[in-house]
Amino acid sequence: MKSYRKELFYEIPTRRAFVNITEDVEVCLRESGIREGLCLVNAMHITASVFINDDESGLHHDYEVWLERLAPHEPVSQYRHNGFEDNADAHMKRQVMGREVVVAVTEGRLDFGTWERIFYGEFDGRRRKRVLVKIIGE
Amino acid sequence: MKSYRKELFYEIPTRRAFVNITEDVEVCLRESGIREGLCLVNAMHITASVFINDDESGLHHDYEVWLERLAPHEPVSQYRHNGFEDNADAHMKRQVMGREVVVAVTEGRLDFGTWERIFYGEFDGRRRKRVLVKIIGE
Amino acid sequence: MKSYRKELFYEIPTRRAFVNITEDVEVCLRESGIREGLCLVNAMHITASVFINDDESGLHHDYEVWLERLAPHEPVSQYRHNGFEDNADAHMKRQVMGREVVVAVTEGRLDFGTWERIFYGEFDGRRRKRVLVKIIGE
């Protein structure tokens, strides 16, 4: 069994954004030399997500509006977590969108459906944050 | 290390439904010959889910009502994604229910709790869609 | 390839609670002797979650309030699932928080970001319930 590990770094200039990181993960997979196995991609921060969905700007706008409705950022005083911080809503949005994805690796490629793309979902940005890629297989 | 891959196909006649696919995954596991490892089951479409919960029709009705409350299908004009499509809500419902499950394989079986069953959750049906099963182990 | 399996048991005296189980999983990883691989941790019950977030009591209070808003326990009669049971809301809360986490194992350790901790999320407690730890690798 082979294993491969890499950290990817993202510094988002806004509080919230969705970034297509599929190509960065594909570079990792090529570096790994793994042809058959599983690829884990996870946010290393608890106010961010890694998820798979569509690379369509209208949808990303809809996600932003929807997540703000489910877990509004303001008023920040509505959350006990917000003593010294103001990011409680980010911890909730991240649970809806998820921490991680596990993607099959088949014949050296991410084994995706037609429209599947990997996104980094930032909910408390404006600082450098990390995504972990771990691939195991042969 | 062994690896196994199969696509399962589902064509749901309605827009939304939950289908128990546990037996289909068990057939895959037997075909794979893998006794110890991990089994990934994921929707290959971004308007569908694979999740684990109870095979109880009352609960599935409750999920339908609840997901419609969290991310209503109508009015379709409330979502920017719905220019040429009308399925923005399906992309949201899928995030709540999840894209994938990873199930332990132990002694050649899906290593489940008493009531765990695998479901395909369709949120934009009426066409043929795919689920990926990837198993690695020995 | 090595594989390791263990069930962890939790009996929560209240209906709902969040319990940090990171150390229990670390004990499993040491017992496994696995240095590189993947560690799956999942609830074996469909009214409970395993998730990764912050070990901060204010945030856990915020999660409790938020999940009750998204999927209220009462009135129990609002859910069809609640014929003989009263836990339909627990099946919903569990979907928001997730069934499982997959954690990278690197150099014999859970490969975590600074604040990542593993939690058992109980939504229908007051009985003994199980969490599965399955680790594969080398």
Side-chain angles (χ1 to χ4, degrees):
Chain A
M1 198 201 78
K2 276 177 158 178
S3 75
Y4 170 94
R5 176 195 195 272
K6 190 160 200 177
E7 292 182 11
L8 305 174
F9 294 87
Y10 300 99
E11 184 162 352
I12 308 297
T14 52
R15 182 181 295 274
R16 290 190 295 272
F18 300 115
V19 180
N20 185 339
I21 64 170
T22 312
E23 289 185 17
D24 297 343
V25 178
E26 286 170 340
V27 168
C28 291
L29 181 53
R30 281 197 294 275
E31 283 180 9
S32 76
I34 292 171
R35 306 270 311 159
E36 295 292 328
L38 293 177
C39 175
L40 168 70
V41 188
N42 69 265
M44 300 186 80
H45 297 259
I46 53 192
T47 51
S49 287
V50 170
F51 66 96
I52 285 177
N53 218 295
D54 196 0
D55 195 1
E56 198 280 297
S57 64
L59 179 65
H60 296 177
H61 170 85
D62 295 334
Y63 274 145
E64 160 66 17
V65 170
W66 178 65
L67 290 167
E68 262 295 284
R69 184 162 59 77
L70 292 185
H73 178 65
E74 296 189 313
V76 297
S77 61
Q78 74 190 293
Y79 302 112
R80 278 200 201 165
H81 181 62
N82 289 340
F84 299 95
E85 302 195 83
D86 66 354
N87 65 5
D89 65 300
H91 292 270
M92 290 163 192
K93 290 169 170 128
R94 120 70 170 254
Q95 289 306 123
V96 175
M97 299 304 276
R99 167 188 180 259
E100 78 216 12
V101 296
V102 178
V103 182
V105 174
T106 302
E107 297 180 2
R109 302 191 61 161
L110 297 173
D111 195 338
F112 271 154
T114 311
W115 300 105
E116 288 191 284
R117 298 292 180 277
I118 307 174
F119 287 87
Y120 175 67
E122 178 60 85
F123 304 115
D124 186 32
R126 298 176 294 191
R127 56 201 170 96
R128 186 170 140 105
K129 291 168 83 171
R130 293 183 290 159
V131 167
L132 181 64
V133 180
K134 184 91 182 187
I135 311 171
I136 69 169
E138 280 184 341
Chain B
M1 199 201 77
K2 277 176 155 177
S3 74
Y4 170 92
R5 177 195 194 272
K6 190 162 199 174
E7 292 182 12
L8 305 174
F9 295 87
Y10 300 98
E11 183 161 353
I12 307 296
T14 52
R15 183 182 294 275
R16 289 191 295 273
F18 300 115
V19 180
N20 185 338
I21 64 170
T22 313
E23 289 185 16
D24 297 342
V25 178
E26 286 170 340
V27 168
C28 292
L29 181 53
R30 282 196 294 275
E31 283 180 9
S32 77
I34 291 172
R35 307 268 314 156
E36 296 292 328
L38 293 177
C39 174
L40 168 70
V41 188
N42 69 264
M44 299 185 80
H45 298 259
I46 53 191
T47 52
S49 287
V50 170
F51 67 95
I52 286 177
N53 217 296
D54 197 0
D55 195 1
E56 199 280 298
S57 63
L59 179 65
H60 297 177
H61 170 85
D62 295 334
Y63 275 144
E64 160 66 17
V65 171
W66 177 64
L67 290 166
E68 263 295 284
R69 184 162 60 76
L70 292 185
H73 179 64
E74 295 189 314
V76 297
S77 62
Q78 74 191 291
Y79 303 112
R80 278 201 200 165
H81 181 62
N82 289 341
F84 300 94
E85 303 196 83
D86 66 355
N87 64 6
D89 65 301
H91 292 271
M92 290 162 193
K93 289 167 171 131
R94 119 70 171 256
Q95 290 304 124
V96 175
M97 298 304 275
R99 167 187 180 261
E100 78 216 11
V101 294
V102 178
V103 182
V105 174
T106 303
E107 297 179 1
R109 304 191 60 161
L110 297 174
D111 195 338
F112 271 155
T114 311
W115 300 105
E116 289 191 284
R117 299 293 179 277
I118 307 175
F119 287 88
Y120 175 67
E122 178 60 85
F123 305 114
D124 186 33
R126 299 177 293 192
R127 58 203 169 93
R128 186 171 140 103
K129 291 167 83 171
R130 294 183 288 160
V131 167
L132 180 64
V133 180
K134 183 92 182 187
I135 311 171
I136 68 168
E138 279 185 341
Chain C
M1 198 201 77
K2 277 176 156 177
S3 75
Y4 171 94
R5 176 196 195 270
K6 190 160 201 176
E7 292 182 10
L8 305 174
F9 294 87
Y10 301 99
E11 184 162 352
I12 307 297
T14 52
R15 183 182 295 274
R16 291 190 294 273
F18 301 115
V19 180
N20 185 338
I21 64 170
T22 312
E23 288 185 17
D24 296 344
V25 178
E26 286 171 341
V27 168
C28 291
L29 181 53
R30 281 197 294 275
E31 281 181 11
S32 77
I34 292 171
R35 306 269 312 159
E36 295 293 327
L38 294 177
C39 174
L40 168 69
V41 188
N42 70 263
M44 300 186 80
H45 298 259
I46 53 192
T47 52
S49 287
V50 170
F51 67 96
I52 286 177
N53 218 294
D54 196 0
D55 195 1
E56 199 280 299
S57 63
L59 179 66
H60 297 178
H61 170 85
D62 295 334
Y63 275 144
E64 159 66 18
V65 171
W66 178 64
L67 291 167
E68 263 295 283
R69 184 162 60 77
L70 292 185
H73 179 64
E74 295 189 313
V76 296
S77 62
Q78 74 190 292
Y79 303 112
R80 278 200 201 167
H81 181 62
N82 289 340
F84 300 94
E85 301 195 85
D86 66 354
N87 64 5
D89 66 301
H91 292 271
M92 289 161 194
K93 289 167 170 130
R94 121 69 171 257
Q95 290 305 124
V96 175
M97 298 304 276
R99 167 188 179 260
E100 80 217 10
V101 295
V102 178
V103 182
V105 174
T106 302
E107 297 179 0
R109 304 191 60 161
L110 297 173
D111 196 339
F112 271 155
T114 312
W115 300 105
E116 288 192 283
R117 299 292 180 276
I118 307 175
F119 286 88
Y120 176 67
E122 178 61 84
F123 304 116
D124 186 32
R126 298 176 295 191
R127 58 200 170 95
R128 187 170 138 104
K129 292 168 83 171
R130 292 183 290 160
V131 167
L132 181 63
V133 180
K134 183 91 181 187
I135 311 170
I136 70 168
E138 280 183 341

